[in-house]
Amino acid sequence: MTTAFVTACGGGGGGGGSSYKQPKGSAQTTLDIKGGNFFFDPKNSDAPAGVDAIKLESEGGQHTLVFDGGKVPGFKLEANSGKSDELKVDLKPGKYTIFCDIPGHREAGMEGTITVT
Ligand SMILES: [Cu+2]
């Protein structure tokens, strides 16, 4: 019998989203999405396939914008009241679900889609 010492202390919660690597090239378009308690406006957006920028603007409270299902690993926008956050992303055609990952917000309605064609 061997006792494996697997210490689970590595990492420590990551460095706050800096692991995401933005695609090269300029964005074809910028999706302006407003986040509030508890909604995205617009809820459903369309974007051309390729490199686009997504901007989250908080209309009140702290909110995030992430992709569901690990479709875009590491991508996370985070904005507090009156602030905005923006990142570029390379999107393939398809329908993506986005949501705010702050506990309770998605359930309260902070969910939407981005349809890429
Ligand atoms: Cu939120």
Side-chain angles (χ1 to χ4, degrees):
M1 264 197 271
T2 46
T3 308
F5 277 89
V6 181
T7 46
C9 61
S18 57
S19 62
Y20 179 70
K21 235 177 140 185
Q22 295 191 78
K24 291 204 176 92
S26 50
Q28 311 170 90
T29 186
T30 299
L31 295 183
D32 261 301
I33 301 175
K34 292 181 174 66
N37 294 323
F38 296 94
F39 60 88
F40 284 122
D41 178 26
K43 185 175 172 65
N44 304 308
S45 308
D46 295 299
V51 177
D52 299 315
I54 302 176
K55 184 178 176 187
L56 173 69
E57 199 180 330
S58 173
E59 294 206 318
Q62 186 171 13
H63 300 292
T64 70
L65 190 160
V66 298
F67 284 85
D68 193 26
K71 290 255 178 87
V72 187
F75 183 97
K76 182 172 184 172
L77 297 174
E78 195 159 13
N80 219 324
S81 295
K83 298 263 169 53
S84 66
D85 195 13
E86 183 175 341
L87 281 174
K88 287 191 294 182
V89 59
D90 190 0
L91 294 170
K92 292 179 176 58
K95 194 171 182 182
Y96 298 80
T97 299
I98 54 165
F99 67 97
C100 173
D101 76 350
I102 293 174
H105 286 208
R106 183 179 193 176
E107 291 73 12
M110 290 199 74
E111 192 178 54
T113 63
I114 296 175
T115 302
V116 179
T117 51

